[in-house]
Amino acid sequence: MGKLLSHRLAVPVVIALLVVALSFAMPSNFYYRVAALVWISALAVIGLNLLMGYAGQVSLGHAGFFGIGAYAVAVLPPQFGLHPLVAALAGAVATAAIAFLVGRPILRLKGHYLAVATLGFGILIAMTISNEAWLTGGPDGMPVERLTVFGWRVRGADTWYWISGGLLVIGAWIACNLVASPTGRALRALHDSEVAARVAGIDVARAKLTVFVISAVYASVAGSTLALVNGFVTPDKANFLHSIELVTMVVLGGMGSILGSVAGAAILVVLPQALTGFHDYEHMILGLIMMVIMIVLRAGIVPSIAAFFQGRRNK
């Protein structure tokens, strides 16, 4: 039991130490903001990694759930007078309900059929947000009410750094507990073979739907957090390209790795910032770096590095 408990706590503790350690190396608010964006993206990627890396199910529409969470904190406070935190909670509940309703039919599909179905869902959400300008502000986006807690207005990049970092640690802890639970073992069995999992007595449909809903809630919470950080939200966070970006973060960091989710998010958030000085060659260099990473570290950054050190230890 003690070994299992330490395993469940190891990754969250490592992430917490990383958040604390990096706080001493931030020379300005700009770096705090970039780091906060990494933590927020990593939170969404952890949820998607549970779906893809552990359960083996592909989703190309997860930005739709991200957008639901983001627009929940933008629309609900001015329209219904809800506190932003209550709006974020309502967005997460609504996202879970939508994921449950959508997941029941589309998770019966497999392979590229499932990918196309989730892609269609994501496009539908993005189009709805863009077209309903009377409610969402349309393509131009809309402002988000600033978060106030007990009269204290939450502001500053450093404050959001700690809030988003805390949410990431909590998200990682929940994910690690899920992975180490019977549900997590069922997901890994499902990833290896649906037929074998079904023969072993696992309710495959229920397991798929459960992890799909959980991953959607992760995306919703990340979307709400980003909207509150920026104080503004636009439909681009719900579009197809953002879904592809989230999937790329999962693959780069390592499928089936919680720490890999953080590494993948860091690569795709930090590198574009670091390459802005190259102007016209920015995207080409970014694409080249990603290609090299996938060629050299085929299993993803974290699993490949872990396998390398494990191999050296066994020699």
Side-chain angles (χ1 to χ4, degrees), residues 107-125:
L107 289 174
R108 297 175 184 175
L109 304 173
K110 298 179 182 178
H112 56 275
Y113 296 105
L114 176 60
V116 172
T118 55
L119 170 62
F121 166 76
I123 292 175
L124 177 63
I125 295 297

Side-chain angles (χ1 to χ4, degrees), residues 9-61:
L9 290 176
V11 171
V13 168
V14 169
I15 294 175
L17 292 175
L18 177 64
V19 171
V20 173
L22 284 179
S23 68
F24 293 102
M26 298 295 175
S28 68
N29 282 336
F30 171 77
Y31 292 91
Y32 273 114
R33 173 172 170 76
V34 172
L37 296 179
V38 172
W39 306 150
I40 293 169
S41 295
L43 181 63
V45 176
I46 286 176
L48 186 56
N49 211 337
L50 289 174
L51 180 67
M52 294 181 58
Y54 288 95
Q57 307 302 305
V58 180
S59 174
L60 297 181

Side-chain angles (χ1 to χ4, degrees), residues 271-282 285:
L271 268 183
Q273 301 292 335
L275 296 174
T276 52
F278 292 93
H279 301 295
D280 296 337
Y281 302 99
E282 174 187 345
I285 296 174

Side-chain angles (χ1 to χ4, degrees), residues 38 64 69 97 125 143 185 267 275 292-293:
V38 172
I125 295 297
R185 291 191 289 273
I267 291 291
L275 296 174
V292 171
I293 290 175

Side-chain angles (χ1 to χ4, degrees), residues 225-259:
T225 307
L226 182 63
L228 290 171
V229 170
N230 290 337
F232 197 84
V233 62
T234 56
D236 66 311
K237 289 304 176 183
N239 67 18
F240 167 67
L241 290 179
H242 191 215
S243 289
I244 296 301
E245 185 177 319
L246 293 175
V247 171
T248 305
M249 290 177 182
V250 172
V251 176
L252 278 178
M255 295 180 67
S257 170
I258 304 300
L259 279 177

Side-chain angles (χ1 to χ4, degrees), residues 154-169:
V154 181
R155 65 172 71 187
D158 54 340
T159 302
W160 282 111
Y161 171 90
W162 290 108
I163 292 174
S164 57
L167 287 174
L168 176 61
V169 172

